[in-house]
Amino acid sequence: MKKILLIIFASISTIAFAQNNITWNMGMNISTNTYGNMHPRMALDGAGNPMVIWGRMSDESVFFSKWNGTMFTVPVKLNPSWLTVATAGWMGPDIASKGDTVYVVVKRTPEISDTNRIFILSSFNGGLSFNTPVELAFIADSLSRFPTVTVDDTGNPVIAYMKFNSSFLESRWVVTKSTDYGNTFSTDVKASGWGSSAEVCDCCPGAIVSTGNISAMLYRDNNSNIRDIWTGISTNNNSSFTSGFNVDNNNWMLMSCPSSGPDGVIIGDTLYLTFMNGGSGSYRNYLSKSSITNGTVNTVSNLTGNIPGLGQQNYPRIASDGNAMAIVWKQTISGSAQLPILFTNNIANGFPAAYDTVDLNDITNADIALSNGKIFVVWQDDNSGTIKYRSGTYTPVITSANEIELSDFSFFPNPVSSQITLQLTNNLQNAKAEIINLLGEIVVTQYLNNAQSTILDIANLREGIYFIQIKSQDKIFTQKFIKK
């Protein structure tokens, strides 16, 4: 069967591409140190531009800034004066997006008060403005902390948080979802407690990741002080979590709290998850690969192996786009902090043996995002007191096994003046369409939501050559068209 495959290369004088390598741009500060620098987290808008949030401990605030094409915007304080926000170097607010729909979740302080709950701030214009914070009201008299957020295929937020009884006991992870874009939320459902565990690690943040109707609640357990990483699985769009399994095989016994949690991505049926574990006697970062359908972990491996002078590793973060995947983390070698990165443009081939280094010295916490051949890294620098940023480019690789076949999809007309009609002849799960210009910039994004026919409005685009790209889970289709 005939297949059409096209890889886009942007020809820009300051950027060069190399297979499986990143070409880095110079780093920069997102803002001055007057805005703080705690625990940066990042998401991308509909055009693939990074949006960053972070905390300032002095007044318990959360700030937002985004890349506008040439620089980061002046940071905006998101929380009103009545809403003080829990933030530190190891935990804080979280952000997620789908296109230009953006959600930020925060925990009000002091955390120990049962009247200080979780709040969500929503933006529907790519972070240009945010609505008034909305409180998640189903916590009742319980205590809560560590909110984390993802977005489902309809653009609605799904929020997970740790929940306790009024005595700060019975720690567990729960999940609540909205069907009206963050205005109201369902009663939370328990997502942890698998493997006969009574409680979770009550000082360790978690993460929730999703694709289609599948969500994975990633958390550190506390089963009689064994603090390995587990996941709860929902297959009905977060209505319930009916299974869970251990994604970590280190059997780490620890009487104190490590204050470090996991991060993960889902590609097809595979859950990739990265985390720190001290079962070897030292803090080391790992990558596990699991089958969601089978509920079993396939492999667990250390990110780097033995390194001369390595003291400890912590706070790993992972991101993917298509076949590309990257992990960043903090590590200390001979007493000096580093921000390493493992990257592959085709995860089917695994990660290379050697890592690259984004920055040296004074790194505490970091985050990473990938989109359309671009990679973005932000991190907390405690020497300058700022959030630092670095971007790079790589060559996307699409293997023949991951091509969307021509019989699955068609679009017309070509050339086109105002509207493109997309026609799906076969069911493509969780598909989205992107329009990309010759610079590799995403100028239009639309989620198809399994519709057989979709209209893309491109009337506002300039005349010229563009590419339409259809992504469905780990499959991709790209074709050129002319805007007249």
Side-chain angles (χ1 to χ4, degrees):
M1 183 176 295
K2 182 179 180 181
K3 301 179 180 179
I4 294 179
L5 179 64
L6 182 67
I7 300 177
I8 305 169
F9 294 89
S11 179
I12 307 175
S13 60
T14 58
I15 298 177
F17 290 96
Q19 181 108 355
N20 279 322
N21 291 324
I22 302 169
T23 300
W24 290 105
N25 299 315
M26 292 294 293
M28 65 178 70
N29 290 325
I30 288 182
S31 65
T32 65
N33 59 14
T34 58
Y35 293 98
N37 71 334
M38 294 288 105
H39 197 257
R41 287 294 177 258
M42 179 167 46
L44 304 178
D45 68 11
N49 295 311
M51 303 176 290
V52 185
I53 62 167
W54 67 92
R56 183 170 67 186
M57 291 188 69
S58 61
D59 61 352
E60 298 178 305
S61 294
V62 57
F63 287 89
F64 172 92
S65 178
K66 69 175 292 183
W67 183 257
N68 64 10
T70 57
M71 65 181 69
F72 277 93
T73 58
V74 175
V76 175
K77 182 180 174 181
L78 296 185
N79 56 305
S81 58
W82 56 265
L83 178 56
T84 52
V85 172
T87 185
W90 57 279
M91 65 89 180
D94 195 20
I95 184 172
S97 65
K98 184 174 288 293
D100 282 340
T101 298
V102 187
Y103 300 107
V104 175
V105 290
V106 302
K107 165 63 181 178
R108 189 178 184 181
T109 59
E111 291 182 277
I112 199 168
S113 171
D114 60 12
T115 59
N116 290 339
R117 300 171 179 168
I118 308 297
F119 289 80
I120 183 170
L121 300 99
S122 306
S123 171
F124 302 103
N125 54 15
L128 297 179
S129 61
F130 282 83
N131 295 341
T132 302
V134 173
E135 181 181 20
L136 276 65
F138 284 102
I139 299 176
D141 62 350
S142 301
L143 304 172
S144 61
R145 68 188 319 196
F146 302 146
T148 181
V149 62
T150 187
V151 187
D152 69 17
D153 284 351
T154 65
N156 278 293
V158 179
I159 298 176
Y161 56 92
M162 193 179 293
K163 192 173 181 180
F164 308 81
N165 65 20
S166 57
S167 300
F168 232 82
L169 300 173
E170 298 179 6
S171 57
R172 68 270 192 198
W173 281 95
V174 299
V175 175
T176 179
K177 64 178 182 177
S178 175
T179 58
D180 55 10
Y181 303 99
N183 290 312
T184 61
F185 285 84
S186 63
T187 303
D188 59 74
V189 295
K190 188 177 179 181
S192 61
W194 308 104
S196 302
S197 176
E199 294 189 338
V200 299
C201 183
D202 60 9
C203 69
C204 297
I208 185 166
V209 294
S210 64
T211 178
N213 289 324
I214 297 174
S215 290
M217 179 65 238
L218 317 175
Y219 64 95
R220 188 179 299 279
D221 202 19
N222 180 6
N223 191 350
S224 300
N225 292 313
I226 296 178
R227 299 180 188 263
D228 286 346
I229 304 298
W230 285 67
T231 181
I233 300 296
S234 171
T235 58
N236 54 14
N237 195 23
N238 303 285
S239 294
S240 62
F241 284 73
T242 56
S243 64
F245 57 95
N246 188 351
V247 293
D248 179 0
N249 59 8
N250 284 280
N251 200 37
W252 186 21
M253 174 71 75
L254 183 69
M255 302 299 291
S256 59
C257 202
S259 300
S260 180
D263 192 26
V265 296
I266 298 173
I267 300 180
D269 183 57
T270 303
L271 173 64
Y272 295 89
L273 196 146
T274 187
F275 54 90
M276 180 275 292
N277 192 290
S280 67
S282 301
Y283 281 11
R284 296 291 182 263
N285 289 338
Y286 294 84
L287 175 70
S288 76
K289 181 179 177 181
S290 304
S291 167
I292 294 174
T293 300
N294 296 333
T296 56
V297 61
N298 298 324
T299 59
V300 180
S301 57
N302 184 263
L303 292 186
T304 61
N306 293 325
I307 301 172
L310 177 62
Q312 62 174 283
Q313 299 172 329
N314 209 339
Y315 306 130
R317 297 286 291 177
I318 188 171
S320 66
D321 185 45
N323 298 313
M325 186 177 293
I327 303 174
V328 294
W329 66 95
K330 175 188 177 178
Q331 70 182 20
T332 56
I333 293 183
S334 300
S336 297
Q338 297 182 349
L339 181 58
I341 182 170
L342 274 175
F343 170 79
T344 176
N345 58 4
N346 188 0
I347 191 57
N349 296 329
F351 283 106
Y355 61 82
D356 196 358
T357 303
V358 182
D359 194 35
L360 298 173
N361 300 321
D362 304 307
I363 292 97
T364 298
N365 210 309
D367 202 9
I368 187 167
L370 305 177
S371 176
N372 195 43
K374 298 178 182 179
I375 187 165
F376 311 99
V377 182
V378 293
W379 66 96
Q380 174 183 333
D381 184 285
D382 286 333
N383 180 46
S384 64
T386 63
I387 299 295
K388 291 188 177 292
Y389 164 83
R390 199 175 184 191
S391 65
T393 57
Y394 62 90
T395 303
V397 170
I398 305 167
T399 63
S400 59
N402 287 330
E403 299 170 16
I404 294 176
E405 299 189 7
L406 184 60
S407 60
D408 293 333
F409 162 78
S410 64
F411 75 96
F412 56 88
N414 186 14
V416 57
S417 59
S418 59
Q419 291 184 333
I420 292 177
T421 300
L422 307 180
Q423 197 74 38
L424 301 183
T425 54
N426 289 315
N427 186 26
L428 298 178
Q429 294 294 321
N430 310 315
K432 71 175 178 179
E434 295 175 341
I435 303 297
I436 304 166
N437 65 21
L438 285 176
L439 295 178
E441 298 169 334
I442 301 172
V443 293
V444 174
T445 298
Q446 186 160 325
Y447 291 85
L448 306 184
N449 296 325
N450 300 324
Q452 294 300 303
S453 181
T454 302
I455 302 295
L456 291 181
D457 185 357
I458 62 166
N460 292 330
L461 297 183
R462 295 181 178 179
E463 294 181 357
I465 297 174
Y466 294 85
F467 302 90
I468 184 168
Q469 191 170 85
I470 307 299
K471 295 180 179 179
S472 176
Q473 295 186 11
D474 57 345
K475 296 183 179 181
I476 195 168
F477 172 96
T478 308
Q479 176 70 324
K480 182 173 69 175
F481 72 90
I482 297 173
K483 168 68 165 62
K484 61 181 182 180

